[in-house]
């Protein structure tokens, strides 16, 4: 009779094989436990210039110790770009991995810009087991049909588990808080228009500028910034570590109105703008402290950046000795570099080398592919058409992106980057800076071409000197406009 139980040499061999299998399984388990998915915290400030934080501009007249600490402990990107030089454009690209020129961003006041079936960084993270929370300025639209009714199409309908924030900027009415998809209190009151006194010297889109409109009884615009910090800190403090956390904290500052609290008033050498930037930096510091107290700082990727360039004029540089643009040309809304090249810092202990700098060209649209790469997920073919992972760059290696395409803010002016070369398909800024539009002269240049490696301030237009480069970049621009950027690779 045969026995089904192995004996002798066979039993020894089988037991050895079982032991080896168990050992390999244990090693695999330990390996998976040793590398859990990191928490991700995105801190997006509003209208902060490339030259405001000290870590990007040694000559900055504004103290930013907490932003600077992120740069010391992480990686600074010196060629990072908003996908559009205005608030709503930039946020749409950040959330979707899609250039904002591919949609009608002008619909945001009454309709959601992000479609229900469109993948976002939040829906991606949620599908990978993340707890997803957003705090702050949305500005990519809700389906609005009265503020006493639900507001569909917002953060909780686009991948976030929770939301507390405002629909747009703190100078765009109506002013009220939103919790998940409902107004905490409808904007039943009224607040008057406010401008900074003329004696301050601020331009009409600077200072305490605020538009008149409806306001809810619980809204004090001066308290919005610290209230968002308190909400973010609460989310971090109460987070259950069974799931990794993705927190998108979108501050509406230092966008107008500039409202530094009494503690910061007069603390900078750059008027109330500098004071307000210092206040924003202090809020960032509170969030970083909360991560440390929750023992989350070591396993969290923190990304800090700004949505677009500053509202800062030549007269302000002269008056205060502070260059908010950090040597770049232009300002918010412009095709010129200061409109969209952003201060950008990533801190990820154990991955990003402390006090390091990357010259890799990146865009906010790259968040989607990067996070998918980090999470070990694949994004669908139709998602994130303009998204390239910069995870290799976080590890000190080159990433795939070598081209960047953008539409300027207030005109149909397009720009394309390829390596150091930058083409703008019209004359003028295409935004807030003057001249906004310039008519070409007979036989003159019809666009702008700059070599940013040699001329980062865009001072010399080489359009007529390099017709072959102009032709190549126009072809690249048309190709990206008509086809998914990622699929051109």
């Amino acid at each position: 009779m045969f026995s089904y139980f192995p004996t002798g040499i066979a039993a020894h061999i089988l037991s050895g094989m079982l032991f080896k299998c168990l050992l390999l399984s244990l090693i695999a388990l330990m390996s998976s436990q040793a590398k859990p998915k990191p928490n991700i915290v995105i801190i997006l400030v509003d209208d902060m210039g490339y030259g405001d934080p000290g870590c990007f501009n040694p000559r900055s007249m504004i103290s930013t110790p907490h932003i600077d600490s992120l740069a010391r402990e992480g990686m600074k990107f010196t060629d990072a770009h908003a996908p559009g030089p205005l608030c709503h454009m930039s946020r749409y690209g950040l959330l979707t991995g899609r250039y904002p020129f591919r949609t009608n961003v002008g619909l945001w006041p009454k309709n959601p810009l992000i479609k229900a079936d469109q993948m976002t960084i939040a829906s991606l993270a949620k599908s990978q087991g993340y707890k997803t929370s957003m705090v702050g300025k949305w500005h990519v639209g809700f389906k609005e049909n009265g503020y006493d009714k639900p507001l569909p199409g917002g953060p909780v309908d686009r991948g976030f588990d929770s939301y507390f924030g405002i629909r747009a900027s703190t100078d765009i009415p109506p002013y009220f808080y939103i919790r998940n998809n409902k107004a905490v209190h409808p904007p039943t009151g009224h607040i008057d228009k406010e401008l900074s006194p003329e004696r301050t010297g601020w331009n009409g889109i600077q200072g305490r500028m605020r538009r008149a409109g409806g306001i809810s009884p619980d809204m004090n615009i001066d308290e919005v910034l610290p209230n968002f910090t308190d909400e973010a800190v609460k989310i971090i403090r109460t987070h259950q570590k069974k799931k990794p956390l993705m927190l998108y904290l979108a501050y509406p500052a230092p966008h107008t109105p500039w409202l530094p609290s009494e503690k910061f008033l007069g603390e900078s050498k750059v008027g109330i703008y500098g004071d307000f930037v210092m206040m924003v930096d202090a809020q960032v510091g509170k969030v970083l402290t909360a991560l440390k107290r929750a023992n989350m700082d070591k396993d969290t990727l923190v990304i800090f950046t700004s949505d677009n360039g500053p509202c800062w004029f030549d007269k302000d540089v002269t008056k205060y000795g502070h260059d908010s643009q950090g040597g770049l040309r232009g300002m918010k809304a412009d095709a010129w570099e200061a409109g969209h090249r952003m201060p950008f810092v990533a801190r990820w202990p154990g991955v990003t080398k402390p006090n390091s700098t990357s010259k890799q060209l990146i865009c906010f649209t790259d968040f989607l592919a990067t996070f998918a790469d980090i999470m070990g997920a694949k994004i669908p073919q139709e998602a994130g058409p303009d998204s390239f992972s910069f995870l290799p760059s976080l590890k000190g290696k080159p990433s795939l992106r070598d081209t960047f395409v953008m539409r300027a803010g207030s005109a149909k002016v397009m720009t394309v980057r390829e390596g150091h070369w930058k083409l703008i398909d019209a004359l003028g800024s295409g935004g807030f800076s003057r001249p906004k539009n310039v008519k070409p002269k007979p036989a003159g240049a019809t666009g702008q071409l700059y070599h940013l490696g040699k001329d980062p301030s865009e001072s010399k237009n080489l359009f007529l000197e390099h017709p072959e480069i102009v032709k190549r970049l126009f072809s690249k621009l048309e190709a990206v406009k008509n086809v998914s950027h990622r699929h051109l690779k």
Side-chain angles (χ1 to χ4, degrees):
M1 183 178 291
F2 293 96
S3 171
Y4 287 94
F5 296 94
T7 59
I9 295 174
H12 179 74
I13 293 171
L14 185 57
S15 65
M17 291 175 63
L18 286 170
F19 176 76
K20 187 176 181 180
C21 289
L22 287 170
L23 182 61
L24 290 173
S25 297
L26 182 61
I27 290 171
L29 179 63
M30 291 175 67
S31 177
S32 66
Q33 290 177 339
K35 295 183 179 179
K37 294 171 183 174
N39 304 302
I40 298 173
V41 175
I42 305 153
I43 303 175
L44 181 72
V45 299
D46 200 331
D47 286 14
M48 184 180 287
Y50 186 88
D52 284 332
C55 52
F56 283 86
N57 178 13
R59 297 181 179 180
S60 175
M61 301 294 288
I62 304 172
S63 177
T64 54
H66 301 291
I67 299 169
D68 297 348
S69 75
L70 281 173
R72 284 195 307 273
E73 297 165 6
M75 178 176 285
K76 187 172 62 172
F77 284 79
T78 58
D79 202 1
H81 295 261
L86 287 172
C87 307
H88 53 308
M89 301 167 74
S90 180
R91 291 155 205 274
Y92 174 84
L94 183 155
L95 287 161
T96 65
R98 192 169 184 254
Y99 285 145
F101 70 75
R102 299 194 189 278
T103 195
N104 182 357
V105 294
L107 297 176
W108 79 263
K110 295 293 181 182
N111 295 282
L113 299 184
I114 303 173
K115 296 178 181 178
D117 60 351
Q118 207 168 342
M119 176 174 274
T120 66
I121 58 170
S123 62
L124 165 71
K126 194 170 182 177
S127 74
Q128 298 302 306
Y130 275 72
K131 171 73 175 177
T132 56
S133 296
M134 181 185 170
V135 177
K137 175 179 171 178
W138 179 236
H139 209 163
V140 285
F142 297 87
K143 184 65 178 177
E144 297 194 3
N145 189 27
Y147 301 116
D148 57 340
K149 300 179 178 67
L151 294 163
V156 295
D157 294 325
R158 299 297 183 263
F160 289 100
D161 293 313
S162 65
Y163 173 61
F164 176 69
I166 53 178
R167 63 190 283 278
S169 304
T170 46
D171 64 353
I172 299 177
Y175 309 107
F176 61 98
Y177 289 116
I178 301 165
R179 174 74 67 179
N180 295 327
N181 68 344
K182 294 181 181 179
V184 176
H185 294 286
T188 54
H190 179 82
I191 192 169
D192 292 332
K193 177 181 178 180
E194 182 173 354
L195 294 175
S196 289
E198 289 185 9
R199 65 178 182 275
T200 63
W202 296 121
N203 182 280
I205 57 172
Q206 295 177 305
R208 294 183 61 90
M209 193 279 288
R210 178 189 67 217
R211 297 169 180 85
I215 189 168
S216 63
D218 63 330
M219 170 70 78
N220 182 336
I221 294 177
D222 293 63
E223 297 173 355
V224 169
L225 180 58
N227 282 348
F228 287 161
T229 299
D230 291 345
E231 181 77 11
V233 167
K234 181 181 177 182
I235 289 169
I236 293 168
R237 189 180 69 244
T238 60
H239 178 62
Q240 300 294 320
K241 296 184 177 62
K242 293 178 182 178
K243 289 185 173 184
L245 172 68
M246 173 181 278
L247 171 61
Y248 171 39
L249 173 57
Y251 282 128
H255 192 292
T256 49
W258 299 341
L259 301 171
S261 63
E262 187 174 351
K263 178 181 177 181
F264 295 95
L265 199 58
E267 287 298 304
S268 80
K269 298 178 181 179
V270 192
I272 59 171
Y273 176 73
D275 300 343
F276 203 30
V277 171
M278 288 182 64
M279 183 177 174
V280 171
D281 179 78
Q283 307 304 306
V284 172
K286 290 180 179 180
V287 175
L288 299 180
T289 297
L291 287 169
K292 189 171 184 178
R293 287 178 177 171
N295 294 317
M296 294 170 63
D297 56 321
K298 301 299 182 187
D299 56 358
T300 298
L301 166 60
V302 177
I303 294 175
F304 169 87
T305 191
S306 176
D307 67 341
N308 51 246
C311 287
W312 202 249
F313 296 85
D314 290 344
K315 65 178 178 61
D316 304 319
V317 179
T318 301
K319 181 176 181 179
Y320 293 102
H322 172 73
D323 184 0
S324 189
Q325 290 88 338
L328 303 176
R329 185 182 186 185
M331 61 185 291
K332 177 178 180 177
D334 290 357
W336 294 327
E337 286 293 284
H340 50 88
R341 188 184 293 218
M342 296 291 97
F344 190 106
V345 182
R347 186 190 74 180
W348 187 3
V351 178
T352 54
K353 183 180 178 181
N355 204 28
S356 58
T357 299
S358 173
K359 295 181 180 180
Q360 173 68 45
L361 174 66
I362 64 173
C363 175
F364 296 176
T365 55
D366 297 336
F367 283 9
L368 186 68
T370 303
F371 296 159
D373 208 358
I374 289 170
M375 297 169 191
K378 288 189 176 181
I379 56 177
Q381 188 77 355
E382 70 277 5
D386 306 299
S387 193
F388 297 88
S389 173
F390 59 85
L391 177 58
S393 295
L394 293 173
K395 298 177 179 180
K397 300 175 183 178
S399 297
L400 285 175
R401 178 183 286 278
D402 65 354
T403 305
F404 165 63
V405 173
M406 189 202 75
R407 175 172 288 162
S410 57
K412 292 183 178 180
V413 174
M414 298 291 292
T415 180
V416 58
R417 269 280 301 279
E418 185 181 61
H420 287 302
W421 288 105
K422 174 181 177 179
L423 172 74
I424 303 172
D425 69 354
L427 300 174
S429 73
F432 290 172
S433 294
R434 295 180 181 179
K436 174 180 174 180
N437 297 302
V438 177
K439 289 185 177 181
K441 296 178 181 179
T446 57
Q448 302 168 68
L449 179 71
Y450 302 104
H451 189 284
L452 296 179
K454 299 176 182 177
D455 182 22
S457 61
E458 299 169 285
S459 61
K460 186 177 181 181
N461 186 1
L462 303 173
F463 190 90
L464 295 178
E465 296 180 28
H466 296 282
E468 73 288 352
I469 296 174
V470 169
K471 182 179 179 180
R472 187 179 79 239
L473 289 179
F474 265 118
S475 295
K476 174 71 77 170
L477 176 60
E478 289 304 309
V480 174
K481 282 167 64 176
N482 296 320
V483 182
S484 161
H485 192 170
R486 180 158 52 93
H487 299 158
L488 287 173
K489 294 291 180 181

